[in-house]
Amino acid sequence: VSDGVYIVTGPLWLPQQDARGSGKWEMRHPMIGKPPQLVSVPTHYYKVVLAENSSGKHGQHSAAIGAFVMPNAPIDPQTPVTAFAVPLEALESVAGAKFFPGFVNDKRRAALDAAALSWQADGRSRLKVLDRMSVAEHHAALLPAQAAAPAATSRGNNSSKAAVAPPAPAAQDSVQRQQKTVNGEGAVHLCDVLACKLPAERWWENNGSGKGGSSSKGLPRSGSRGGKGFRQESAMIAEAAYADLEEYGE
């Protein structure tokens, strides 16, 4: 539902507080290869999305923007993506780059960052904590100290088992129709206009049908439609893609 989408993605190496409880920060990440030819494995990956709305057909905003940082680790597909939303300013500090500087001025960045922290708090309040580490711990190096507290769970004492599972998808979608961006000068947070959620596990195996096995709505392979022509084949691909979008619910 956008006139154009721009995505910037890349790796991050983020520190963690040491396990001894000293409060000190240290960098820990695996390496692959054999010395001296070793490659550092990223601890996280980031993605920044800008979706244009230049035609004005999809609301009053001119662009929807969201920044997300996710651990390089298995993630339960029920985990709300909003739990991984981060402020642009924090991400820019650790990534060493400015994202979409021609559009995101200081006022827009402040409005988007406030909305990102609000969405993040919502996501964490509904979070099903991962066994390896809580999302709050994953983001400790990315957030201001005063914003690192919502719905955090600590390691030890089997805290992950005490976590409350997120509500049913319908309840999540009702939350994600809120407008959290204030005074964004035409920019709104991505989760204000889209349902920020993960696809089902191994969704690519059935083309997103969620029913297992092969899907009758799979996209046709190139040349599989005989002599019907490129334009007709493109129309069939588009029809199948839109059918999948409808099944996902936008």
Side-chain angles (χ1 to χ4, degrees), residues 17-105:
Q17 285 187 302
D18 68 50
R20 299 181 295 275
S22 66
K24 295 182 179 180
W25 293 89
E26 59 187 21
M27 186 68 75
R28 299 193 302 273
H29 57 81
M31 310 285 289
I32 56 176
K34 294 182 179 181
Q37 291 82 24
L38 291 171
V39 178
S40 300
V41 178
T43 61
H44 296 73
Y45 287 92
Y46 70 83
K47 198 174 294 288
V48 185
V49 181
L50 185 151
E52 287 184 318
N53 185 36
S54 55
S55 66
K57 293 179 180 178
H58 312 297
Q60 301 302 314
H61 59 282
S62 56
I65 301 174
F68 305 88
V69 171
M70 305 186 83
N72 186 12
I75 298 173
D76 189 314
Q78 293 188 65
T79 305
V81 173
T82 49
F84 300 102
V86 296
L88 271 172
E89 185 174 6
L91 176 57
E92 289 172 341
S93 295
V94 296
K98 290 287 186 181
F99 299 102
F100 309 116
F103 180 78
V104 182
N105 57 29

Side-chain angles (χ1 to χ4, degrees), residues 156-223:
N157 300 324
N158 210 16
S159 60
S160 63
K161 291 185 179 179
V164 177
Q172 292 189 20
D173 288 345
S174 65
V175 172
Q176 293 181 342
R177 291 299 178 263
Q178 299 176 15
Q179 297 291 316
K180 295 184 179 294
T181 310
V182 180
N183 298 326
E185 293 187 332
V188 298
H189 194 274
L190 193 70
C191 297
D192 283 13
V193 295
L194 295 176
C196 291
K197 59 184 179 180
L198 291 171
E201 244 180 323
R202 306 185 70 83
W203 57 271
W204 62 88
E205 292 185 348
N206 50 39
N207 196 33
S209 70
K211 299 174 182 176
S214 60
S215 171
S216 60
K217 295 185 295 185
L219 300 185
R221 297 178 182 271
S222 177

